[in-house]
Amino acid sequence: MDAATKQKILKQCYSKRFDEKYSRKFQYQDKATDVRNFVKLTPADIIDLLDTPSAAARSQARRLLQLMQGRPWLPSATAHEGGTGDQRGVDNNLHITLRIQETSYHLRCKEQPSLHIIQIT
């Protein structure tokens, strides 16, 4: 993805709302060790993950990136397991919850060899 497209997507993000309401104390940070570390992923980090998904999630990720260029969005929860759930129930897989306008998406992730998106539901 080129820098101009990434900036266009970032401008659509509710970054202030994300920082104030949706930041979490324990968030994922990829490390080379076997120990899982947690920090907040930024909206730019999530865009980068969507730009480099597994082959199985590539077409879904491209669709989301296109939606994010023209619609308000925010990461309502970065990498976590479980959560409070929605109409689909609690997702016990490692995932990022992304909200585009009024629709939520779960970006299911794997940690090895590094954090990457494997499925979007």
Side-chain angles (χ1 to χ4, degrees), residues 29-81:
Q29 179 182 26
D30 186 38
K31 290 287 185 184
T33 66
D34 290 336
V35 178
R36 185 191 270 184
N37 293 289
F38 293 87
V39 298
K40 179 173 70 174
L41 289 172
T42 66
D45 294 331
I46 294 169
I47 292 170
D48 290 340
L49 287 171
L50 281 166
D51 196 34
T52 57
S54 70
R58 197 164 291 135
S59 65
Q60 295 169 310
R62 276 196 302 260
R63 181 176 160 268
L64 284 185
L65 287 168
Q66 288 173 345
L67 287 173
M68 292 162 67
Q69 287 183 52
R71 293 179 175 88
W73 68 277
L74 78 127
S76 53
T78 66
H80 66 286
E81 296 162 334

Side-chain angles (χ1 to χ4, degrees), residues 11-37:
K11 285 181 182 180
Q12 291 292 334
C13 183
Y14 290 107
S15 60
K16 183 176 180 186
R17 183 175 174 197
F18 172 75
D19 291 338
E20 291 175 1
K21 185 174 180 183
Y22 289 98
S23 65
R24 295 191 180 249
K25 186 176 178 183
F26 302 106
Q27 301 286 327
Y28 184 88
Q29 179 182 26
D30 186 38
K31 290 287 185 184
T33 66
D34 290 336
V35 178
R36 185 191 270 184
N37 293 289

Side-chain angles (χ1 to χ4, degrees), residues 28-32 49 52 94 109-118:
Y28 184 88
Q29 179 182 26
D30 186 38
K31 290 287 185 184
L49 287 171
T52 57
L94 180 65
C109 302
K110 290 283 186 189
E111 298 179 73
Q112 299 300 326
S114 62
L115 184 67
H116 62 282
I117 297 169
I118 59 165

Side-chain angles (χ1 to χ4, degrees), residues 85-104:
D86 58 14
Q87 66 272 14
R88 296 173 287 193
V90 173
D91 189 347
N92 290 317
N93 298 292
L94 180 65
H95 67 280
I96 297 165
T97 306
L98 185 69
R99 188 168 189 82
I100 302 174
Q101 286 185 316
E102 299 301 317
T103 305
S104 291

